[in-house]
Amino acid sequence: MKTEFDILIIGSGLGGLVSALILAKEGLKVCILEKNNQYGGNLQTFSRDKLIFDTGVHYLGGLSAGQNLHQFFSYLEIMDELELQKMDEDGYDKITFGEDEIEYPHAQGYKNFIEQLFHYFPEERENLENYCEEIQRVCNQFPRYNVVGKDHYNEEILHLNTKRFIESITQNKKLQSVLLGSNFLYGGDSENIPFYVHALTVNSYIQSAYKCVKGGSQISKLLIRKLRQYGAEIHKHSEVSEFIFNEDNSLTGVKTKGGKEYSAKQFISNIEIRSTIKLIGEKRLKKSFLNRVLSWEPVSSCFSVYLVLKPQTIPNFNYNIYHYSNEKLVWNAYRYKKNSWPETYMLSCTQSKYEPEFAESLTAISYMDFNEVKEWEKTVNTVVDEHERGELYGKFKMGKAEKMITALEKKIPNIRNCIKNIHTSSPLSYRDYIGSFEGNMYGYIKNSENPLQTMVSPRTKINNLFLTGQSVNMHGILGCTIGAFNTCAEILGKELLEERLTQMINKNKGEEN
């Protein structure tokens, strides 16, 4: 017997899980199919040496009471169970350059953000105030950024360019670089990228910055537990290999690689958009749409080095470091010279459970072009589908890890003696586990000259197939969450969702009073 669902969701990344829960809360019969062994897409963690490492979520913003992600997570009924640790108020991120020993802080709270940087740039107070004001103005123009209200884009804001904006705010080259210092969060491009991408990303963390204790996978675990309470079905090791259509071009069901069939009234694809296109079949789509999507360039991928530390060797630090070998690199950090890699890196730290003043592990990440691993692109290696990539690949990864450690030594001189074990992941790991095209970090490159080029609607030409995930709206925890609410608004109706969210906000306000 084939079960018919109201909604079938392909892929269990954050967008898919959030969409599923919004719909399950409305009493719909929901099913999620995931190809991998672990749910959660970029929320996945992995365990080595009895320690947990994050693949994608190193910290979260906007989670203090009343802030947007806090409200979305409250609606999804997972907020109270999240184990969070607030990062340093006076500098959750620290930006460093070459030999300059100063660590320039990004602080939590707009007033504090200005005060902490004013200390290093005493002539720039007014410019810092203008920067903060403009970031908040741009965010307020975005649909659903403030949870309810405003349901369409302001086209003028989409065209603002990050480089032009930052250069108009201050002439001080060092301050420009400091303000852009965390652009790793959107792929290291500040020359072409629309300013709204910078604003939406940075604003959340300035509001509040937290680490997930026990890693980002606790978000997916909590969402799945809730989904099961609402009667949803979730299946892993279930890769969708075929879409089944009827005569009038509506989707009626899917087949998985294992030969199972699932049918539903409506479908949401939360997988890479190119993979969705393959399943739909190019004949069913407009040439213009196909050409547009296939012309998109992926954001850079990355290479991560995970260092397991010997006990009591490196003091714990409760912030991230974004390091650049020089200030100019900030504008397009993702473009690097192979022979001087890593010219930039992000470094984060996990506190030891037993000796809280020390770190138990460090994670260092730098950009990596997919071309560097192209010779192994035909190989696949996941928990479900295990294959060795060979000795050469192992050597390649250890060579890169060695270069990263040499770069880190400039910041932590004794680091080599503190390392107990080294693990790595390359663009291939991200491609195989997350399913992103060429292992990209955040979907496709956005450009302020033509911002609508890389935006897709949650509705597709197939009348009962919808999209969610980082290609719809924005990447990141907040971007994918907002995107999922936008997708569900198309299915449930904007008014209904708006009403539900307003009820929750009023209820929370009532409880506070």
Side-chain angles (χ1 to χ4, degrees):
M1 278 289 288
K2 274 199 303 187
T3 320
E4 172 151 306
F5 296 93
D6 293 313
I7 305 275
L8 186 89
I9 296 173
I10 303 147
S12 71
L14 181 66
L17 292 174
V18 171
S19 300
L21 188 46
I22 296 165
L23 298 165
K25 276 173 68 113
E26 293 301 326
L28 295 173
K29 198 173 177 189
V30 177
C31 175
I32 301 176
L33 301 177
E34 166 57 51
K35 71 169 185 173
N36 275 332
N37 185 50
Q38 206 184 128
Y39 301 115
N42 262 318
L43 297 167
Q44 290 176 65
T45 50
F46 65 92
S47 175
R48 295 282 184 279
D49 298 81
K50 297 184 182 151
L51 303 182
I52 288 172
F53 291 94
D54 267 301
T55 54
V57 180
H58 298 284
Y59 59 145
L60 300 164
L63 275 178
S64 288
Q67 292 168 0
N68 53 10
L69 197 54
H70 185 285
Q71 292 184 317
F72 286 124
F73 279 5
S74 298
Y75 183 78
L76 297 166
E77 302 169 45
I78 64 166
M79 190 59 226
D80 294 343
E81 293 177 75
L82 274 178
E83 281 188 63
L84 300 167
Q85 177 196 336
K86 199 162 200 194
M87 297 177 76
D88 279 5
E89 300 255 352
D90 292 341
Y92 61 89
D93 279 346
K94 303 211 174 162
I95 317 301
T96 64
F97 305 100
E99 307 299 304
D100 182 349
E101 284 185 13
I102 297 171
E103 295 183 329
Y104 297 93
H106 286 188
Q108 299 185 50
Y110 274 101
K111 226 176 143 187
N112 195 20
F113 184 89
I114 293 164
E115 287 311 318
Q116 296 300 330
L117 284 175
F118 173 67
H119 177 69
Y120 298 99
F121 301 97
E123 289 84 52
E124 298 283 331
R125 182 182 284 279
E126 196 182 328
N127 293 340
L128 284 165
E129 284 168 355
N130 291 342
Y131 169 79
C132 291
E133 218 168 275
E134 190 62 9
I135 279 201
Q136 292 169 88
R137 183 183 81 84
V138 166
C139 289
N140 288 333
Q141 297 281 333
F142 254 71
R144 220 170 286 291
Y145 195 81
N146 294 323
V147 187
V148 293
K150 188 137 190 70
D151 66 352
H152 58 277
Y153 292 102
N154 170 337
E155 186 119 8
E156 168 222 349
I157 272 181
L158 296 181
H159 284 273
L160 281 176
N161 169 276
T162 304
K163 183 174 176 25
R164 286 196 290 275
F165 171 75
I166 294 288
E167 288 177 339
S168 75
I169 281 288
T170 174
Q171 302 297 297
N172 186 312
K173 296 271 187 248
K174 177 77 102 190
L175 180 56
Q176 288 175 2
S177 297
V178 168
L179 294 175
L180 293 170
S182 60
N183 71 8
F184 192 88
L185 294 165
Y186 49 87
D189 175 11
S190 289
E191 275 193 326
N192 312 304
I193 206 143
F195 179 64
Y196 78 82
V197 176
H198 175 87
L200 294 178
T201 307
V202 170
N203 181 58
S204 287
Y205 294 108
I206 297 177
Q207 285 182 338
S208 62
Y210 292 88
K211 279 186 179 185
C212 262
V213 181
K214 296 191 210 143
S217 62
Q218 65 163 310
I219 298 171
S220 50
K221 284 173 186 152
L222 289 171
L223 288 168
I224 283 161
R225 197 189 308 159
K226 275 287 159 215
L227 277 163
R228 293 207 163 113
Q229 281 172 18
Y230 280 102
E233 280 190 29
I234 309 157
H235 303 284
K236 53 185 176 184
H237 303 171
S238 300
E239 183 172 354
V240 172
S241 56
E242 195 185 325
F243 277 180
I244 303 160
F245 291 91
N246 64 11
E247 297 75 58
D248 66 359
N249 214 21
S250 282
L251 196 48
T252 59
V254 303
K255 270 186 191 161
T256 66
K257 265 193 172 163
K260 282 193 176 170
E261 280 190 32
Y262 295 83
S263 55
K265 293 173 189 140
Q266 290 177 303
F267 299 79
I268 297 175
S269 175
N270 177 222
I271 56 175
E272 161 64 53
I273 194 160
R274 287 169 183 249
S275 306
T276 308
I277 285 173
K278 248 189 200 141
L279 289 167
I280 294 169
E282 296 191 1
K283 288 194 187 88
R284 292 179 195 275
L285 294 163
K286 279 190 174 166
K287 255 283 178 268
S288 56
F289 174 76
L290 268 178
N291 293 340
R292 182 161 71 91
V293 172
L294 298 176
S295 73
W296 295 350
E297 275 185 70
V299 168
S300 174
S301 187
C302 61
F303 188 87
S304 302
V305 179
Y306 309 97
L307 301 174
V308 178
L309 301 172
K310 293 173 186 168
Q312 300 183 350
T313 51
I314 291 181
N316 178 54
F317 51 93
N318 193 20
Y319 50 87
N320 303 306
I321 293 170
Y322 288 95
H323 181 75
Y324 298 83
S325 45
N326 67 62
E327 288 162 42
K328 287 195 189 102
L329 278 173
V330 169
W331 294 101
N332 39 32
Y334 66 101
R335 293 199 184 116
Y336 60 92
K337 295 185 188 77
K338 252 196 219 176
N339 55 4
S340 50
W341 186 94
E343 294 179 282
T344 66
Y345 59 78
M346 173 199 180
L347 182 67
S348 62
C349 160
T350 306
Q351 186 176 29
S352 163
K353 287 184 281 291
Y354 309 109
E355 291 121 356
E357 64 274 29
F358 289 99
E360 65 180 17
S361 69
L362 298 175
T363 299
I365 312 174
S366 190
Y367 300 99
M368 183 169 284
D369 200 62
F370 191 74
N371 285 336
E372 288 214 45
V373 292
K374 211 164 174 59
E375 63 185 282
W376 300 284
E377 73 175 330
K378 297 276 189 284
T379 62
V380 172
N381 185 20
T382 64
V383 174
V384 184
D385 196 2
E386 239 181 305
H387 300 282
E388 279 301 313
R389 296 197 211 268
E391 200 182 321
L392 266 178
Y393 179 68
K395 272 190 179 159
F396 165 80
K397 292 210 303 178
M398 283 329 286
K400 289 288 180 187
E402 182 53 42
K403 282 185 163 186
M404 180 63 86
I405 293 163
T406 302
L408 293 175
E409 266 180 315
K410 293 177 183 161
K411 189 143 307 282
I412 308 167
N414 191 31
I415 192 166
R416 271 180 203 281
N417 302 327
C418 308
I419 298 167
K420 181 178 156 192
N421 225 331
I422 302 168
H423 305 284
T424 58
S425 58
S426 81
L428 293 170
S429 326
Y430 289 94
R431 180 200 67 181
D432 292 352
Y433 279 94
I434 316 292
S436 57
F437 178 63
E438 295 192 344
N440 73 68
M441 289 192 282
Y442 309 122
Y444 294 90
I445 294 172
K446 295 173 169 62
N447 194 307
S448 60
E449 296 306 305
N450 193 354
L452 297 173
Q453 166 82 4
T454 46
M455 280 187 162
V456 290
S457 158
R459 282 191 175 277
T460 70
K461 289 287 171 271
I462 314 291
N463 65 14
N464 61 342
L465 172 65
F466 300 85
L467 303 174
T468 200
Q470 60 185 12
S471 301
V472 182
N473 193 61
M474 266 280 286
H475 67 273
I477 299 283
L478 180 63
C480 287
T481 301
I482 290 178
F485 275 86
N486 289 344
T487 299
C488 292
E490 297 290 338
I491 293 168
L492 298 168
K494 290 191 172 87
E495 295 73 23
L496 176 77
L497 212 46
E498 204 78 347
E499 194 185 311
R500 295 277 190 266
L501 287 163
T502 307
Q503 281 167 354
M504 177 207 63
I505 291 165
N506 293 339
K507 182 173 168 268
N508 288 351
K509 276 185 187 155
E511 284 168 9
E512 280 164 29
N513 300 334

